[in-house]
Amino acid sequence: MKEQQTPKYMQLKQQILSWIVTAQFKPHDKLPSENEIGKQFEMSRQTVRQALGDLEQEGWLYRAQGKGTFVSDQSAPERKNSPQGMTIGMITTHISDYIFPTIVRGVESSLRAVGARLLLASTDNEKEKEKDSLESMLREPLTGLIIEPTKSAEGNPNFNYFLALDALKIPYIMLNERYSDVDAPCLRVDDELGGYRAAEHLIKLGHTRIAGFFKTDDFQGVHRMRGFLRAHREQGLTVPPDYLLRYSTEEKQDKPAQALSALLQREPGERPTAIICYNDELAVRMLDIVRQIGLAVPEDLSIVGFDDANLATATEVKLTTVAHPKTEMGAEAVVMLLGMVEKQQRRQTVDKVYDPQLVIRESTQPPKS
């Protein structure tokens, strides 16, 4: 309400919409009177009337003669009709980067096949942008929502928006991970098993000094790290603290590279002979660090990535990596969500957990004797 460049009635519209989409006022709840709203926000009655009039024209509110202004029921019948004409929202951490275009294509092609419309938003892996995306989606005639949580291991400050989805009877599912406080179906890779298989592969090759680099502000990274540690534990191996780097999204450009550079400049008997990376994007970046130090992959250092992104085969050294289903996940997300819409249920299905397959290529080999 502090942005002076925005007309006051528009500021008030945004505030009232926020009340509605976060279910502070539910369908058919009565709003405070024009005088009460004006007094609360220090606005004239004319400004309040203009904001309420706009929201009424847009279908968010309705008036009852002599009784006041009420919230409209946004759980509209068209959400429960056939897929033709449906609007499905999708919120991802990224749209045009890394594996996300492939996931989006899987969703988009499946929706196009049934005549449904895709409404796409990105959070750039920022909680505040997730809030904005959820709020924007809730202003649309949404039939269902597919969402990849933002920094899932750091909690869910936008919990009220999921309550609003429930209140509006909009079914939603999650991709890659799920917030611990949200009861929604999830399609995800068994990341712990993937981390385990990556480490197991290197251990079977004879590596005993394996460093791990994991982004732990999302549960994917936490679980991959857990699998990495479990494989070592089962083989009676310990991981030195400086061989395990945990980093955040904001640190991903510099912290892992600096840590690897320091490790590789140790004496040959003290440096790692292999590393496991949170994803292929990081693994490719690490290839550059190895070159800068004057070492070679896999002769001096074996590298394993995760996700089997296009990047994994775009370099001169093809990466050993753990596969992510990408297109399949996107397509199956649509099938799951439309099934929930058809049955008019918020949660009617179990999670889909994909078995992570190791794709062995050129970046791993036994350590030098």
Side-chain angles (χ1 to χ4, degrees):
M1 305 290 293
K2 295 180 180 178
E3 295 183 6
Q4 298 301 315
Q5 67 272 25
T6 304
K8 285 188 174 182
Y9 85 95
M10 287 294 295
Q11 295 178 37
L12 183 57
K13 275 185 66 176
Q14 294 298 316
Q15 181 60 57
I16 295 172
L17 272 173
S18 179
W19 290 346
I20 296 171
V21 300
T22 57
Q24 295 178 54
F25 285 85
K26 299 179 178 62
H28 309 298
D29 280 354
K30 182 180 178 180
L31 288 184
S33 68
E34 291 178 0
N35 285 335
E36 289 170 332
I37 293 174
K39 184 176 180 180
Q40 180 179 351
F41 295 105
E42 299 181 347
M43 293 182 179
S44 70
R45 189 170 180 180
Q46 179 59 37
T47 299
V48 175
R49 190 169 294 163
Q50 185 177 3
L52 295 177
D54 277 11
L55 290 170
E56 184 180 4
Q57 286 185 353
E58 293 168 10
W60 291 99
L61 303 175
Y62 67 91
R63 295 179 191 269
Q65 188 66 34
K67 294 183 179 180
T69 302
F70 298 81
V71 176
S72 299
D73 187 354
Q74 295 298 314
S75 55
E78 58 266 22
R79 291 199 181 104
K80 302 169 185 175
N81 292 340
S82 65
Q84 188 73 32
M86 284 184 175
T87 297
I88 300 297
M90 183 177 186
I91 301 174
T92 62
T93 51
H94 302 282
I95 293 175
S96 59
D97 298 334
Y98 195 48
I99 64 172
F100 299 101
T102 311
I103 298 173
V104 172
R105 280 197 298 272
V107 170
E108 189 174 28
S109 61
S110 295
L111 288 175
R112 191 186 306 118
V114 296
R117 169 185 174 230
L118 176 62
L119 191 62
L120 198 56
S122 167
T123 70
D124 294 325
N125 215 29
E126 296 178 18
K127 295 286 192 184
E128 187 63 27
K129 288 185 179 180
E130 181 185 73
K131 172 183 174 292
D132 294 341
S133 296
L134 284 164
E135 190 165 306
S136 296
M137 289 289 180
L138 284 163
R139 293 174 187 163
E140 299 291 333
L142 211 60
T143 307
L145 179 65
I146 300 168
I147 178 168
E148 180 197 25
T150 292
K151 295 182 179 177
S152 55
E154 292 192 346
N156 182 15
N158 300 318
F159 182 70
N160 282 349
Y161 291 91
F162 294 96
L163 292 180
L165 289 164
D166 292 339
L168 295 171
K169 297 181 175 61
I170 299 173
Y172 57 96
I173 61 175
M174 293 195 164
L175 293 185
N176 291 324
E177 259 303 337
R178 172 176 49 225
Y179 287 125
S180 58
D181 56 1
V182 172
D183 180 27
C186 180
L187 295 91
R188 62 180 179 83
V189 173
D190 188 335
D191 286 296
E192 181 173 340
L193 182 56
Y196 178 90
R197 285 178 174 164
E200 180 186 47
H201 168 65
L202 291 170
I203 293 169
K204 285 182 176 179
L205 287 175
H207 293 276
T208 57
R209 300 197 305 273
I210 308 169
F213 300 81
F214 301 99
K215 189 168 78 71
T216 52
D217 53 11
D218 60 55
F219 282 128
Q220 295 100 300
V222 172
H223 296 322
R224 292 170 191 181
M225 180 182 68
R226 187 177 296 159
F228 168 85
L229 292 171
R230 180 163 64 88
H232 281 78
R233 189 165 56 249
E234 290 183 3
Q235 295 298 321
L237 299 172
T238 58
V239 179
D242 54 357
Y243 271 37
L244 183 60
L245 182 81
R246 301 190 295 176
Y247 64 96
S248 68
T249 298
E250 290 74 21
E251 296 170 326
K252 71 177 186 179
Q253 295 298 330
D254 300 315
K255 189 173 179 179
Q258 291 169 358
L260 179 63
S261 180
L263 286 173
L264 293 184
Q265 293 183 64
R266 295 179 176 180
E267 293 298 319
E270 297 178 1
R271 68 190 183 210
T273 59
I275 63 171
I276 293 175
C277 298
Y278 165 76
N279 62 13
D280 295 334
E281 183 180 38
L282 177 63
V284 169
R285 195 175 302 129
M286 295 305 213
L287 283 170
D288 291 334
I289 301 302
V290 177
R291 292 190 198 98
Q292 291 169 17
I293 299 294
L295 301 176
V297 174
E299 291 80 6
D300 300 303
L301 185 76
S302 289
I303 297 181
V304 180
F306 209 109
D307 292 331
D308 197 19
N310 291 336
L311 289 171
T313 55
T315 62
E316 71 276 12
V317 179
K318 312 307 179 189
L319 284 175
T320 294
T321 184
V322 179
H324 185 290
K326 296 182 281 292
T327 305
E328 180 185 355
M329 177 182 282
E332 291 191 345
V334 172
V335 172
M336 181 183 290
L337 186 61
L338 293 184
M340 295 169 66
V341 171
E342 183 180 356
K343 294 178 173 62
Q344 300 180 24
Q345 294 180 4
R346 186 181 65 80
R347 198 197 207 294
Q348 58 85 44
T349 186
V350 297
D351 291 354
K352 170 72 175 183
V353 182
Y354 296 90
D355 184 34
Q357 297 299 313
L358 188 69
V359 182
I360 299 174
R361 297 196 180 99
E362 304 166 2
S363 66
T364 54
Q365 70 174 33
K368 289 180 177 178
S369 55

